[in-house]
């Protein structure tokens, strides 16, 4: 995570080059049709529309990478109030979201630069990487919600339920599970379970789920449904726990405090659940629609639906990191530690300049006094200051 800051300028330069590249038509018929009779995707829109889409994707990738890179660099060390399991699950989520911007965005935009659809081998590899990272982000998000639920529901057994070994298995499953489930996407030739296509509307290499609707349903049931159920159940139970804690309060003042705590919990938990479904439900609905009907949705609807999961990376970073008071305090400490010497030198220069200007202004109305340095060497300096300035200093 600490190495993301060094790779960000090169990534930003690549995005600028991709955004400034001339628009080209991609998505030939040969790359769109699947064995299941999938209908050809709509042709790419005008050059201005493609340039606009490329600019939106580039800006989204840069925003997600910068925010999650900074959050991961700060959370890499201990944060006050965060347990080891909480910090590692949040780091896994930040890494998955940053990987979406670092790999998915450049690889797909690079494939859209050619005069036609990208090669089948390239598109298949990019589709496998993109789908695996999207699945890892989903599982990581579910892992964060699960860890928080265990910490609140079982505080005395939290360290045992999420020990080092179980936490390592949880994080490894979040990254390797989607890749294993999507491994058939990477198989080329006759061993391919389904074909891949380049969506000219979304500028994205993706599996052609219409060529195998059963496999598409299996992926939705094995990746999206467990993650959605975990996020919904865990955050609902956390909200109920906050509500029960408020009801146990005694006295008007304590009840008011519990109400404030409940409101604070709602301000955190509600955006998590709502943001999850807003970002991921349209994508899954579009995939299932294409797989079942073997038809394509509107160009801009497909573009927004398939890129919304990448936008959830910025929302997750804001909800889980930047709204946390302990994280902001740690970020400020690191910023002061890195920028402290520069700020201190600037402050000393400003003070010296103010004293010198004050001496020049007041010298006409006061008798100056010669102040010699304590040093006995020949390089000792002397400063003329008025008596009032000497007394104040």
């Amino acid at each position: 995570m600490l190495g993301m800051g060094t790779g960000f300028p090169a990534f930003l330069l690549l995005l600028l080059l991709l955004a400034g590249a001339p628009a080209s038509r991609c998505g030939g018929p040969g790359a769109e049709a699947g064995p299941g009779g999938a209908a050809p995707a709509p042709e790419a829109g005008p050059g201005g529309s493609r340039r606009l889409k490329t600019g939106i994707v580039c800006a989204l990738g840069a925003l997600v990478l910068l925010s999650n890179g900074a959050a991961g660099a700060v959370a890499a060390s201990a944060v006050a109030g965060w347990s080891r399991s909480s910090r590692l699950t949040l780091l896994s989520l930040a890494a998955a979201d940053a990987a979406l911007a670092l790999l998915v965005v450049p690889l797909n935009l690079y494939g859209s630069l050619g005069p036609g659809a990208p090669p089948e081998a390239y598109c298949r590899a990019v589709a496998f990487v993109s789908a695996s990272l999207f699945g890892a982000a989903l599982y990581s998000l579910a892992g964060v919600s699960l860890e928080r639920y265990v910490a609140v529901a079982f505080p005395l057994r939290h360290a045992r339920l999420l020990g080092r070994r179980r936490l390592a298995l949880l994080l490894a499953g979040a990254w390797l599970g989607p890749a294993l489930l999507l491994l058939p996407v990477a198989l080329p030739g006759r061993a391919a379970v389904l074909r891949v296509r380049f969506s000219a509307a979304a500028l994205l290499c993706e599996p052609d789920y219409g060529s195998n609707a059963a496999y598409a349903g299996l992926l939705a049931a094995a990746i999206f449904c467990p993650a959605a159920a975990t996020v919904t159940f865990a955050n609902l139970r956390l909200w109920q726990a906050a509500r029960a804690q408020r009801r146990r309060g005694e006295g008007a003042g304590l009840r008011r405090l519990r109400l404030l705590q409940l409101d604070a919990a709602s301000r955190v938990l509600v955006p998590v659940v709502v943001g999850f479904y807003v970002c991921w439900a349209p994508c899954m609905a579009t995939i299932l629609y294409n797989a079942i009907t073997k038809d394509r949705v509107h160009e801009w609807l497909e573009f927004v639906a398939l890129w919304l999961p990448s936008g959830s990376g910025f929302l997750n970073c804001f909800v889980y990191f930047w709204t946390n008071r302990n994280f902001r305090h740690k970020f400020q400490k690191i910023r002061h530690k890195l920028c402290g010497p520069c700020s201190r030198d600037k402050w000393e220069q400003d003070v010296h300049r103010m004293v010198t200007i004050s001496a020049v202004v007041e010298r006409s109305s006061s008798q100056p006094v010669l102040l010699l340095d304590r040093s006995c060497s020949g390089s000792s300096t002397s400063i003329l200051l008025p008596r009032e300035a000497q007394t104040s200093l």
Side-chain angles (χ1 to χ4, degrees):
M1 295 302 299
L2 291 173
M4 289 182 183
T6 58
F8 179 73
F11 170 77
L12 185 58
L13 178 60
L14 177 60
L15 292 184
L16 293 177
L17 292 176
L18 292 174
S24 60
R25 293 171 66 92
C26 296
E32 302 289 344
E43 293 292 334
S49 175
R50 176 169 286 259
R51 283 192 293 269
L52 177 60
K53 292 178 181 179
T54 304
I56 292 175
V57 173
C58 290
L60 177 65
L63 186 63
V64 172
L65 181 62
L66 180 62
S67 58
N68 284 277
V74 174
S77 57
V79 179
W82 287 16
S83 63
R84 181 178 178 272
S85 58
S86 298
R87 188 166 57 86
L88 291 180
T89 52
L90 288 173
L91 278 175
S92 176
L93 177 61
D97 291 334
L100 290 177
L102 190 62
L103 295 177
V104 174
V105 173
L107 291 176
N108 285 279
L109 291 184
Y110 178 78
S112 67
L113 296 180
E120 194 271 342
Y122 177 85
C123 198
R124 184 171 293 276
V126 173
F128 171 72
V129 172
S130 301
S132 299
L133 289 178
F134 280 127
L138 262 175
Y139 276 10
S140 298
L141 188 59
V144 171
S145 298
L146 180 63
E147 191 278 333
R148 289 191 169 189
Y149 168 72
V150 172
V152 173
F154 310 99
L156 300 180
R157 294 186 293 167
H158 175 257
R160 183 172 61 86
L161 292 176
L162 286 179
R164 292 179 177 271
R165 183 178 179 180
R166 292 183 178 179
L167 183 61
L169 292 176
L170 177 65
L171 298 180
W175 284 87
L176 298 179
L180 294 177
L181 291 173
L182 290 161
L183 189 60
V185 177
L187 299 177
R190 297 180 179 180
V193 176
L194 75 170
R195 290 195 174 186
V196 295
R197 63 181 297 274
F198 179 79
S199 173
L203 307 181
L204 191 69
C205 291
E206 60 172 351
D208 188 4
Y209 295 103
S211 61
N212 194 334
Y215 181 65
L218 175 63
L219 291 179
I223 297 180
F224 176 76
C225 292
T230 302
V231 170
T232 304
F233 171 79
N235 287 279
L236 180 61
R237 293 292 296 171
L238 290 176
W239 185 83
Q240 291 176 347
R243 186 179 180 182
Q245 185 180 14
R246 179 181 66 87
R247 289 180 175 178
R248 287 196 297 266
E250 297 178 359
L254 189 56
R255 282 198 299 269
R256 184 178 180 182
L257 177 60
R258 300 302 185 190
L259 180 61
L260 293 176
Q261 292 178 352
L262 178 62
D263 294 339
S266 301
R267 287 195 299 268
V268 174
L269 300 178
V270 171
V272 169
V273 179
V274 173
F276 174 83
Y277 283 102
V278 167
C279 292
W280 289 96
C283 177
M284 296 305 303
T286 302
I287 290 175
L288 293 178
Y289 175 84
N290 295 339
I292 295 174
T293 64
K294 298 178 175 59
D295 196 4
R296 313 303 301 182
V297 297
H298 187 269
E299 174 186 356
W300 277 98
L301 181 60
E302 182 174 353
F303 172 78
V304 174
L306 294 184
W307 282 106
L308 265 179
S310 298
S312 69
F314 176 74
L315 180 62
N316 295 335
C317 182
F318 179 77
V319 171
Y320 288 107
F321 290 96
W322 299 107
T323 58
N324 186 274
R325 182 180 303 175
N326 294 331
F327 178 84
R328 294 198 306 269
H329 180 66
K330 178 65 178 296
F331 177 77
Q332 293 174 358
K333 288 178 60 177
I334 294 179
R335 186 187 63 178
H336 291 324
K337 183 178 180 180
L338 296 177
C339 302
C342 300
S343 302
R344 191 179 302 108
D345 294 341
K346 184 178 179 181
W347 179 80
E348 292 177 353
Q349 292 176 2
D350 293 340
V351 171
H352 178 71
R353 187 180 300 109
M354 291 174 60
V355 173
T356 305
I357 294 176
S358 176
V360 173
V361 171
E362 296 182 4
R363 187 167 52 185
S364 59
S365 59
S366 302
Q367 181 66 28
V369 178
L370 183 63
L371 298 180
L372 297 178
D373 194 355
R374 295 181 181 179
S375 176
C376 299
S377 62
S379 61
S380 300
T381 58
S382 60
I383 304 176
L384 290 176
L385 291 177
R387 294 183 181 274
E388 291 80 2
Q390 179 189 4
T391 303
S392 62
L393 292 176

